[in-house]
């Protein structure tokens, strides 16, 4: 069965790819996601006519926003390594007349020459890559000197969920975090940006809050994580039923709460002159 934490790395290899699309569309509809996304667009320092790269474009909504920002003289190149996601993105953009090209490629090996984009952006995709440094190095390689690289990624070590059952809650949140290829990407970003030679780094944390259990479950797979904990022998069925029933009680009395932090990190590619100084 599809598990978002571990299966976004290979959407086409699953038998229920529409579930991934639905999950992305749901997140795109949330106010908190809209807010952080717009901060990332600002940090790309886009000018009309710019050529920009979107990595892990998913259903293509952010590519559409970027295309509107760079205008008809600009260009957006949107990459994903899922053909199913690209089909979805193509279907939702085909009649819009926007300058977007969708390309099937792995973020860790981009099929582009050096220094051809004014900016590159990645949104909640590095968490699904076991070696995110290589994807960031690729983004830095293809951006022109003076251009910007922007990443926004969660850090699942910041995931908190209100419960009276502290040890079990800790175990379940760790299970979710450790099911990602890189569940700690949020805290690694600053170091990785430095390692690939980006300068003028800025880090902006944004807090995402869910107070509706059903909504949180659709995005964060709470019930599924609980069942996985039983399957793996981490805990027992009665303990999990007890944990889930507490969450249901909180939900019914409008007391459910969970939250995590996403980190927006931006960095500038040095010009040749400043590299030498
Ligand atoms: C959580 S989704 C985010 C999609 C989009 N950025 C958004 O904000 O809606 C992650 C996306 O990254 C893609 N992806 C995962 N690993 C990838 C890789 N190594 N190279 C390119 N795309 C990848 C997935 O197919 C998926 O579309």
């Amino acid at each position: 069965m599809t598990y978002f934490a571990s299966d976004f790395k290979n959407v086409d290899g699953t038998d229920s790819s529409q579930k991934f699309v639905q999950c992305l569309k749901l997140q795109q509809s949330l106010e908190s996601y809209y807010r952080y996304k717009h901060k990332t667009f600002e940090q790309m320092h886009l000018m009309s006519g710019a050529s920009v790269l979107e990595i892990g474009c998913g259903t293509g909504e952010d590519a559409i926003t970027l295309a509107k920002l760079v205008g008809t003289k600009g260009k957006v190149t949107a990459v994903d390594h899922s053909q199913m996601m690209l089909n979805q993105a193509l279907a939702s953009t085909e009649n819009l007349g926007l300058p977007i090209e969708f390309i099937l490629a792995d973020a860790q090996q981009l099929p582009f020459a050096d220094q051809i984009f004014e900016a590159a952006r990645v949104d909640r995709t590095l968490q699904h890559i076991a070696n995110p440094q290589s994807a960031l190095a690729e983004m830095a390689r293809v951006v022109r000197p003076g251009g910007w690289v922007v990443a926004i990624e969660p850090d699942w070590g910041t995931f908190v969920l209100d419960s009276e059952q502290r040890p079990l809650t800790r175990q379940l949140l760790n299970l979710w975090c450790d099911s990602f290829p890189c569940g700690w990407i949020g805290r690694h970003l600053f170091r990785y940006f430095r390692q690939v030679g980006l300068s003028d780094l800025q880090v902006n944390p944004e807090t995402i809050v869910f107070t509706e259990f059903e909504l949180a479950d659709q995005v964060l797979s709470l019930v599924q994580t609980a069942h996985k904990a039983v399957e793996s022998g981490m805990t027992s069925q009665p303990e999990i039923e007890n944990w889930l029933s507490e969450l249901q009680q909180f939900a019914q009395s409008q007391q459910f709460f969970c939250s995590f932090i996403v980190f927006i990190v931006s960095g500038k590619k040095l010009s040749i002159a400043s590299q030498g100084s």
Side-chain angles (χ1 to χ4, degrees):
M1 197 183 160
T2 300
Y3 189 48
F4 294 138
S6 55
D7 294 340
F8 256 115
K9 66 177 179 293
N10 182 17
V11 171
D12 292 353
T14 65
D15 53 8
S16 48
S17 49
Q18 276 311 310
K19 284 201 176 154
F20 294 90
V21 171
Q22 283 160 10
C23 176
L24 292 186
K25 298 243 177 223
L26 184 59
Q27 290 175 83
Q28 284 150 17
S29 72
L30 301 176
E31 170 69 27
S32 53
Y33 283 60
Y34 177 87
R35 238 190 355 256
Y36 89 63
K37 280 177 185 288
H38 278 265
K39 288 194 177 162
T40 66
F41 300 139
E42 278 167 21
Q43 302 215 341
M44 292 173 84
H45 304 270
L46 295 178
M47 309 270 266
S48 167
S51 178
V52 303
L53 177 65
E54 170 76 1
I55 294 291
C57 65
T59 55
E61 318 298 322
D62 294 339
I64 294 174
T65 306
L66 288 170
K68 290 179 182 164
L69 289 171
V70 297
T72 48
K73 293 201 174 119
K75 185 176 174 195
V76 177
T77 303
V79 167
D80 205 287
H81 78 161
S82 157
Q83 186 61 55
M84 190 284 303
M85 281 294 174
L86 292 181
N87 292 345
Q88 188 74 32
L90 280 165
S92 51
T93 53
E94 65 185 347
N95 296 321
L96 300 179
L98 291 168
I100 309 176
E101 184 179 16
F102 290 102
I103 294 192
L104 183 69
D106 187 333
Q108 299 167 95
Q109 220 174 356
L110 295 175
F112 308 120
D114 296 353
Q115 306 186 358
I116 60 167
F117 298 103
E118 266 80 45
R121 173 181 182 277
V122 62
D123 185 338
R124 299 177 358 266
T125 293
L126 298 175
Q127 61 180 330
H128 299 296
I129 300 179
N131 183 6
Q133 298 101 311
S134 61
L136 277 174
E138 280 292 84
M139 291 171 76
R141 176 181 70 76
V142 300
V143 165
R144 292 197 179 114
W148 291 86
V149 174
V150 178
I152 172 277
E153 297 288 335
D155 189 295
W156 293 111
T158 68
F159 191 8
V160 296
L161 180 139
D162 184 29
S163 167
E164 291 294 335
Q165 301 173 56
R166 193 187 286 202
L168 180 55
T169 302
R170 273 203 184 115
Q171 280 184 306
L172 296 175
L173 297 185
N174 282 341
L175 174 60
W176 168 257
C177 176
D178 294 341
S179 301
F180 285 82
C182 193
W184 275 17
I185 182 63
R187 74 191 67 184
H188 294 325
L189 281 178
F190 181 79
R191 175 162 54 93
Y192 292 171
F193 267 57
R194 278 252 185 273
Q195 286 174 354
V196 300
L198 295 164
S199 73
D200 297 24
L201 301 194
Q202 276 194 33
V203 179
N204 288 291
E206 284 280 315
T207 308
I208 307 280
V209 170
F210 286 88
T211 54
E212 284 175 48
F213 173 71
E214 295 294 337
L215 185 58
D217 189 39
Q218 285 175 63
V219 174
L220 302 165
S221 310
L222 300 174
V223 174
Q224 205 182 351
T225 301
H227 292 309
K228 274 187 177 292
V230 177
E231 280 162 28
S232 68
M234 188 181 274
T235 185
S236 68
Q237 186 68 29
E239 270 197 296
I240 277 301
E241 276 165 20
N242 194 25
W243 187 81
L244 286 171
S245 119
E246 184 190 52
L247 288 195
Q248 291 290 358
Q249 281 169 29
F250 289 168
Q252 276 156 21
S253 50
Q254 297 179 332
Q255 294 169 12
F256 172 81
F257 177 88
C258 75
S259 176
F260 58 93
I261 294 173
V262 295
F263 292 89
I264 303 171
V265 181
S266 60
K268 191 177 183 180
K269 179 148 169 183
L270 291 174
S271 63
I272 310 288
S274 48
Q275 276 171 10
S277 63

